[in-house]
Amino acid sequence: MQFWKDIYKQRFGKQVKTWDEIYSDWQTANVPDIKQIPFDINLYPYALPWYNKEGQYQADTNNPQKRTAFHLINYLQDKPKELIAAYKILAATKHYDCLFFLSKVLIDVFNKYDENVYGWWNGNAKYLLPTTKLDYDFRVIEYSESIPEAIELSIQKWRELHNEWQLIRLPNLLDIHSSEFIQASAEIERRNNEQEYREYLRLKKKFEDKD
């Protein structure tokens, strides 16, 4: 759409075709990362990684969004910044169904790091990212028409994700060998054992009273 094309041109003053140009512009835009917060068993359910900052709630997100959370928290944690940028652009453009403008461009950068541009989510996955204000903008409903528009959409989306959402470092998303995972799993097991023991005492008393 011309709207996104104009914004991109205002921001960078040019059109782009190559990954080097796209990545340079992504860096210039200084797109912030989503803040990750520690898991607290007293505050958060185990299975909901996306936390809405304004509403202060954990969103019951779909499986693709949980997969995205795993990528950001675990798999991509120590990967090169260029690969992470390519991943974020991939996620946003697939989310908005305009990946076809960038698939050929992105393949090369993923191959550079021995990664595949496909396979991060199920092939039919949609809505890979939580809802932000951008998703209510009527100008996003139509498909983007060029690489600059697709990149601008990606920049805008990840800015809003940073502003509106946080990621909870749930144990099931962590590296199982990390101290963070080991500590969280031990605490969960301790809580579960306590709960089971309380239930055992309750049932024991119930049947003893019947006698």
Side-chain angles (χ1 to χ4, degrees):
M1 294 172 295
Q2 189 64 38
F3 171 76
W4 295 110
K5 192 179 295 183
D6 290 344
I7 288 183
Y8 195 92
K9 192 170 183 179
Q10 289 170 16
R11 186 192 297 276
F12 300 114
K14 61 182 179 181
Q15 303 296 317
V16 294
K17 293 183 180 179
T18 69
W19 169 251
D20 287 341
E21 291 176 299
I22 291 169
Y23 184 49
S24 175
D25 292 345
W26 179 271
Q27 291 177 302
T28 300
N30 195 26
V31 181
D33 293 330
I34 298 172
K35 183 178 179 180
Q36 298 184 17
I37 56 179
F39 172 70
D40 186 333
I41 194 171
N42 297 308
L43 298 177
Y44 309 123
Y46 302 158
L48 305 176
W50 289 96
Y51 183 80
N52 185 277
K53 294 160 69 172
E54 182 177 354
Q56 297 188 337
Y57 64 87
Q58 284 174 268
D60 187 10
T61 50
N62 60 29
N63 286 332
Q65 290 173 19
K66 291 175 183 176
R67 191 69 184 166
T68 302
F70 167 78
H71 295 153
L72 295 171
I73 290 172
N74 187 332
Y75 188 76
L76 292 170
Q77 190 71 11
D78 297 317
K79 297 292 185 180
K81 291 183 179 179
E82 183 181 28
L83 176 62
I84 295 173
Y87 169 86
K88 289 181 176 179
I89 293 170
L90 171 68
T93 51
K94 185 172 172 61
H95 178 83
Y96 287 118
D97 202 16
C98 55
L99 177 60
F100 49 89
F101 289 110
L102 283 166
S103 57
K104 292 182 179 179
V105 176
L106 291 175
I107 284 172
D108 289 340
V109 67
F110 276 89
N111 288 343
K112 176 180 176 180
Y113 294 102
D114 296 321
E115 299 285 353
N116 196 323
V117 74
Y118 305 106
W120 293 84
W121 304 269
N122 179 288
N124 296 321
K126 295 183 178 180
Y127 313 117
L128 311 181
L129 303 166
T131 300
T132 63
K133 294 180 177 64
L134 188 62
D135 295 285
Y136 298 103
D137 190 327
F138 72 93
R139 290 164 295 197
V140 182
I141 296 175
E142 301 177 36
Y143 293 160
S144 293
E145 296 175 349
S146 69
I147 288 178
E149 292 173 343
I151 298 301
E152 185 58 38
L153 269 176
S154 300
I155 290 171
Q156 298 272 11
K157 181 62 176 180
W158 284 97
R159 283 189 184 281
E160 291 192 357
L161 286 167
H162 165 79
N163 293 335
E164 299 177 29
W165 294 90
Q166 293 177 330
L167 279 167
I168 302 169
R169 295 178 60 81
L170 299 179
N172 63 323
L173 300 180
L174 300 175
D175 179 354
I176 62 173
H177 302 294
S178 67
S179 59
E180 188 178 3
F181 172 83
I182 293 170
Q183 291 172 6
S185 298
E187 178 62 17
I188 291 170
E189 184 178 5
R190 185 185 69 80
R191 293 292 186 94
N192 288 340
N193 289 340
E194 287 181 352
Q195 184 176 352
E196 288 176 4
Y197 184 65
R198 287 193 298 269
E199 181 65 9
Y200 161 75
L201 293 177
R202 185 186 71 81
L203 293 173
K204 182 173 180 291
K205 183 177 185 303
K206 176 181 177 181
F207 288 108
E208 286 176 346
D209 289 345
K210 285 185 176 180
D211 293 338

